[in-house]
Amino acid sequence: MTESNSPTIIDVAVPLRLYTTFHYAVPPELAPLATTGVRVLVPFGRRKLTGYVIGTVAESEEELKPISAVLDPEPLFTTEELEFFRWSASYYLHPLGEVIKTALPAGINVESRKRQVCSADGMETEEEVLIGGKGVKRETFYRAVPSLELPANLRGKGLRIAEFLRTVSEASASHLRREFGATPAHFRRLFELGLVEASEREVYRDPFREEVFAHDTPLALNDSQSAALERVIAATDGCAFAPFLLHGVTGSGKTEVYLQSIAHVLDAGKTALVLVPEIALTPQLVKRFKSRFTCGIAVLHSGLSDGERYDEWRRIRRKEVSIVIGARSALFAPLSAIGIIVVDEEHEASYKQSEGFRYNARDLALVRGKMSKAVVILGSATPLLTTYHAAQEGKLGYLHLPHRVRNLPMPATELLDARGHKGDTFLPQLTSAIADNLAAGGQTLLFLNRRGFATYLVCQDCGQVLRCPNCSVTLTYHRRRERHFCHYCDYSIPAPSVCPECESQAIGLLGRGTERVEEEVRELFPLARVGRMDRDTTSGRGGHARVLKGLEDGTIDILIGTQMIAKGHDFPGVTLVGVVSADATLNIPDFRSSERTFQLISQVMGRAGRGDAPGKVLIQSLAPDHYAITRAVAHDFEGFYAEEISFRREVGYPPFTHLAALTLSGNSVAEVEKGAEAVAGVLHSTKRELKSRVEILGPVSAPLGKIRGRYRWQILLKSTGRAELHRLLARFKAGVKLPAVVRMAVDVDPVDML
């Protein structure tokens, strides 16, 4: 038992896949600093690592190790944020330490490593060193000493720097290096002459430091927008949790409703969080927000460096920011006094984290909004069926924008039957439409949701197909790099000239991707300025913005792309959209395949005709009679919903049930299958023990039976009650034991069923 003069005992979560927390003693000199929310360096096994203080403990029966250091002068998270982390960890059945690590900036944790060092006498010894930890950036600033005359012998860059400093209050060393080519020698010379003074201070790494944003003013709203805004404002004034679905057709002005709602929240002294599904959407949205608001705006997404994200996070923590815009992980931004959370394009699957902590930012936005007593707006032209159903049931407020702004018409659409046209990338109607649009000076988007040149290589003599040795997929040919790639593990090989199996030269490329479509477009329209937007062309810093700028400034006539081009972009010059293959996603073994097909087609159609010129859409399909395609062509969301919800009700899928997927993986297919059978056995016995009605499906080999060298088996759980599903999973997890060679991932509310 501890006594009054004993060390403080703290409860610590470590960022490892461990579901328990650990108790440590705090030396008296560190006790005032070891408060909830700070990081501490703790001994863990044979090393030291970063842990997070989540509370204190009154007493302990065991002998405790002391912490080594307190790493923060002040807490990194509040007790309210810790409550949110605990809820998230409990719901998604994930270790609390890893949840906290996800919420904090990447790269800030430190841990110890042992290394061999050689002393002067040649003896080798082992020492412990700390690695990791993101540092604060410091910058030197120079200012002129105005009372001194510039000496006559000061010339060249030194003179220009001195003259420039007399025209400004101060300038950073990096600015002077960039503008004048200044070197340390120039700075030393100016110091020796007594012409400058210097000071060093902390600076932020600002990803938008070089951009200038012209100021704009709120736009006039139509009747539907005004009605939606009035309801949101009334809800924000009520200071209570209020969730809404903002269902507006493409081009209906949802963003303007967001902007004016946020302006009202800011006027009330509160903050706003805006989530977008892809970093490709961030530059355009940031431009609109920076043009509208003069308050601090922070941006959080994976396209920033670790240092930039760390600085943006610190600005938010220090309350220098009133608006945060970002992708999935921005949900955990340390904003206080949140008044509104916007989830734009709420239907997008990219809000779901697919590995590790498998949270859904769209769903957690509702949880955080409830904890913060904030308004939450889920916006989309093609909302999830589960979201729309919740709105129909009265669980969400329903805000409808049925018309485009300025009474612009929806694009005229034409469905082209591609059956009987094997091998043709473009039907004649689409080719003619592209030519006519070029002649009229309009821009064209061509959509195909497969990247690469060809989807597989096959030998026409022996039938051998080139497959990835690590994954259950074929290799995709990329002509520009003359290699075949796996899009799951990045395995690649040079393009063979003969069949690897029988050495026949009769090998052929089948299927097509965006790279091949781009090549064919260049051949058909040699004078057109053609661009491509997929993962291959947007890798690297600012890749998305570079491609999209070409559309914005008119230097691209035809843009070919994957689903990246379908997501929320607003380019008035696009007057023609062509969907090369509308049914590519229909045959994926997932109950949501029809919903995703409808969403993709509807969204890409919505890129056309958003300016003064009317839009036109041509859709090629091998399944022109499928309701997902015919309803999308008719701009008929309600009709699609009626058909799809009937199917979901009949087979018992969301929104009528709740799901959890268990994926077992390992390097030995026999061990994985054995482990999956054992897990299924524990699930069934736990179900009997709890007298649960949860349905257990499987185990079966996953549709993608092997990824990155690991074989995969799946078990799916279905339940009409969310609480009953969690009760079974929690009891099961406490009792299941697996061999070390088999891993198990639990995915609550799975989005990817492959």
Side-chain angles (χ1 to χ4, degrees):
M1 301 289 288
T2 60
E3 298 184 15
S4 58
N5 60 350
S6 298
T8 302
I9 302 173
I10 55 174
D11 196 14
V12 175
V14 294
L16 300 172
R17 292 192 67 84
L18 299 170
Y19 289 88
T20 57
T21 57
F22 299 87
H23 296 166
Y24 287 90
V26 182
E29 66 274 14
L30 296 179
L33 301 174
T35 57
T36 298
V38 301
R39 292 173 303 141
V40 288
L41 190 65
V42 297
F44 197 86
R46 300 181 60 187
R47 58 178 171 148
K48 295 176 182 175
L49 51 76
T50 298
Y52 314 108
V53 180
I54 59 173
T56 57
V57 180
E59 57 186 28
S60 177
E61 298 288 346
E62 55 186 322
E63 185 176 346
L64 301 176
K65 295 179 180 179
I67 64 172
S68 300
V70 177
L71 300 176
D72 304 301
E74 56 190 22
L76 300 185
F77 51 87
T78 65
T79 54
E80 291 79 11
E81 289 162 359
L82 177 58
E83 180 187 359
F84 178 52
F85 302 156
R86 287 186 186 276
W87 192 98
S88 304
S90 174
Y91 184 81
Y92 290 104
L93 300 168
H94 200 76
L96 178 60
E98 289 207 332
V99 173
I100 297 174
K101 181 182 178 182
T102 300
L104 295 179
I108 64 171
N109 287 347
V110 296
E111 60 181 282
S112 66
R113 286 283 189 271
K114 302 286 187 180
R115 72 176 183 184
Q116 297 295 121
V117 294
C118 186
S119 61
D121 59 4
M123 295 291 292
E124 283 197 356
T125 58
E126 190 177 67
E127 72 172 9
E128 185 179 63
V129 295
L130 295 178
I131 62 171
K134 181 59 60 181
V136 172
K137 182 180 179 181
R138 302 190 69 82
E139 178 80 273
T140 301
F141 287 81
Y142 294 93
R143 54 188 168 276
V145 178
S147 59
L148 294 179
E149 292 290 332
L150 297 180
N153 62 350
L154 184 64
R155 297 183 178 85
K157 289 182 182 177
L159 177 61
R160 293 199 298 274
I161 294 168
E163 290 175 337
F164 172 75
L165 287 173
R166 295 191 171 209
T167 66
V168 296
S169 58
E170 65 177 8
S172 67
S174 60
H175 177 82
L176 295 174
R177 285 193 294 267
R178 188 168 57 249
E179 293 296 320
F180 300 99
T183 66
H186 293 117
F187 296 137
R188 283 196 302 271
R189 173 68 170 153
L190 294 174
F191 265 117
E192 291 168 359
L193 295 172
L195 297 174
V196 298
E197 296 174 341
S199 61
E200 187 181 75
R201 64 176 181 266
E202 176 186 336
V203 295
Y204 293 128
R205 287 156 280 214
D206 182 1
F208 298 97
R209 60 184 173 272
E210 296 179 359
E211 296 191 39
V212 178
F213 300 93
H215 182 67
D216 76 350
T217 55
L219 304 177
L221 303 181
N222 60 30
D223 291 344
S224 299
Q225 288 174 302
S226 296
L229 179 63
E230 287 174 8
R231 288 189 63 188
V232 171
I233 287 176
T236 60
D237 290 344
C239 299
F241 172 56
F244 291 99
L245 167 60
L246 179 58
H247 182 195
V249 298
T250 53
S252 59
K254 292 184 290 294
T255 303
E256 188 62 29
V257 175
Y258 302 155
L259 289 165
Q260 296 193 28
S261 299
I262 289 170
H264 183 81
V265 166
L266 298 183
D267 289 341
K270 295 187 177 181
T271 61
L273 174 60
V274 181
L275 300 181
V276 293
E278 297 276 359
I279 62 173
L281 293 175
T282 309
Q284 195 173 52
L285 198 63
V286 168
K287 181 178 179 181
R288 290 200 65 177
F289 272 75
K290 292 250 183 184
S291 298
R292 182 67 59 88
F293 299 108
T294 57
C295 63
I297 297 176
V299 179
L300 293 172
H301 60 69
S302 60
L304 306 181
S305 67
D306 282 353
E308 287 171 338
R309 276 186 285 175
Y310 178 49
D311 287 351
E312 293 290 87
W313 184 91
R314 286 190 299 133
R315 290 176 61 221
I316 303 165
R317 178 87 283 164
R318 293 171 175 177
K319 300 183 180 180
E320 298 172 12
V321 163
S322 298
I323 301 173
V324 173
I325 302 172
R328 182 174 57 226
S329 62
L331 169 78
F332 299 103
L335 269 176
S336 58
I338 298 176
I340 188 169
I341 300 175
V342 172
V343 184
D344 194 27
E345 309 293 346
E346 68 91 30
H347 64 278
E348 285 289 347
S350 50
Y351 280 121
K352 176 76 171 182
Q353 171 67 31
S354 59
E355 295 180 342
F357 174 31
R358 298 172 184 239
Y359 68 95
N360 191 318
R362 176 251 181 228
D363 295 344
L364 284 184
L366 291 165
V367 176
R368 189 166 189 192
K370 186 173 184 178
M371 289 182 172
S372 302
K373 297 182 180 178
V375 167
V376 180
I377 301 178
L378 308 177
S380 178
T382 54
L384 290 167
L385 260 74
T386 50
T387 305
Y388 188 76
H389 183 263
Q392 296 297 300
E393 295 288 305
K395 297 175 183 177
L396 301 173
Y398 185 63
L399 311 173
H400 194 203
L401 306 180
H403 307 294
R404 284 186 160 184
V405 295
R406 298 188 289 127
N407 291 319
L408 293 173
M410 294 297 287
T413 58
E414 183 178 351
L415 182 57
L416 306 178
D417 189 346
R419 293 174 295 189
H421 295 270
K422 183 179 179 181
D424 293 343
T425 301
F426 303 115
L427 297 183
Q429 300 96 312
L430 181 53
T431 304
S432 298
I434 297 171
D436 293 343
N437 199 48
L438 276 172
Q443 293 175 308
T444 299
L445 292 184
L446 295 176
F447 170 73
L448 176 65
N449 206 25
R450 284 193 298 264
R451 62 191 176 104
F453 185 85
T455 47
Y456 61 100
L457 178 145
V458 63
C459 175
Q460 296 173 7
D461 284 345
C462 73
Q464 177 74 12
V465 175
L466 203 58
R467 296 184 180 276
C468 175
N470 307 316
C471 307
S472 302
V473 296
T474 57
L475 296 178
T476 300
Y477 178 53
H478 291 243
R479 172 167 284 186
R480 288 190 180 178
R481 289 188 275 180
E482 289 294 325
R483 297 184 74 84
H484 291 263
F485 285 85
C486 173
H487 290 168
Y488 284 88
C489 72
D490 291 330
Y491 169 86
S492 71
I493 60 170
S497 57
V498 297
C499 172
E501 186 70 19
C502 70
E503 298 188 351
S504 167
Q505 294 185 352
I507 55 176
L509 296 167
L510 298 180
R512 58 178 57 82
T514 49
E515 190 179 10
R516 180 172 175 179
V517 171
E518 179 189 12
E519 182 177 284
E520 293 190 28
V521 167
R522 291 184 184 278
E523 291 175 357
L524 286 169
F525 307 103
L527 299 180
R529 297 166 296 179
V530 181
R532 176 161 55 93
M533 188 174 183
D534 54 28
R535 194 179 300 174
D536 299 318
T537 61
T538 57
S539 60
R541 185 180 180 87
H544 298 88
R546 282 195 302 273
V547 176
L548 295 174
K549 191 175 185 300
L551 269 187
E552 189 173 2
D553 61 21
T555 57
I556 290 179
D557 298 318
I558 303 173
L559 180 65
I560 300 110
T562 58
Q563 59 183 339
M564 289 181 181
I565 67 173
K567 297 181 179 181
H569 303 295
D570 187 6
F571 296 107
V574 173
T575 48
L576 175 65
V577 166
V579 179
V580 177
S581 177
D583 39 83
T585 53
L586 272 179
N587 298 316
I588 294 175
D590 189 318
F591 71 90
R592 297 185 184 90
S593 60
S594 294
E595 180 180 12
R596 287 176 178 159
T597 299
F598 175 86
Q599 289 167 342
L600 265 178
I601 295 174
S602 299
Q603 290 287 340
V604 76
M605 284 168 49
R607 301 315 108 200
R610 296 167 78 103
D612 294 330
K616 184 177 181 181
V617 180
L618 277 75
I619 299 172
Q620 300 180 164
S621 176
L622 292 169
D625 300 324
H626 195 283
Y627 67 94
I629 295 174
T630 58
R631 296 292 187 180
V633 170
H635 308 291
D636 184 9
F637 176 86
E638 286 74 15
F640 171 76
Y641 171 80
E643 293 200 50
E644 183 68 9
I645 204 71
S646 175
F647 159 73
R648 298 281 184 92
R649 183 181 287 107
E650 181 180 340
V651 297
Y653 278 113
F656 304 105
T657 56
H658 304 282
L659 305 180
L662 279 62
T663 302
L664 290 298
S665 68
N667 296 322
S668 164
V669 64
E671 288 289 345
V672 174
E673 183 176 358
K674 181 180 175 182
E677 294 288 353
V679 166
V682 175
L683 280 168
H684 281 288
S685 63
T686 306
K687 175 182 175 179
R688 288 191 296 270
E689 179 186 336
L690 295 175
K691 298 180 180 178
S692 172
R693 294 169 296 172
V694 174
E695 187 177 357
I696 302 171
L697 305 178
V700 295
S701 178
L704 287 175
K706 186 181 179 186
I707 293 180
R708 300 185 187 96
R710 299 184 66 84
Y711 296 94
R712 305 166 70 246
W713 276 62
Q714 285 183 344
I715 300 170
L716 184 66
L717 307 182
K718 294 170 64 177
S719 174
T720 55
R722 196 188 300 270
E724 188 174 28
L725 178 63
H726 272 77
R727 187 163 55 251
L728 174 66
L729 282 170
R731 179 72 66 87
F732 152 77
K733 287 221 43 157
V736 69
K737 301 291 182 185
L738 285 171
V741 294
V742 178
R743 296 181 200 156
M744 181 179 69
V746 178
D747 190 358
V748 178
D749 302 331
V751 169
D752 183 357
M753 304 294 289
L754 299 181

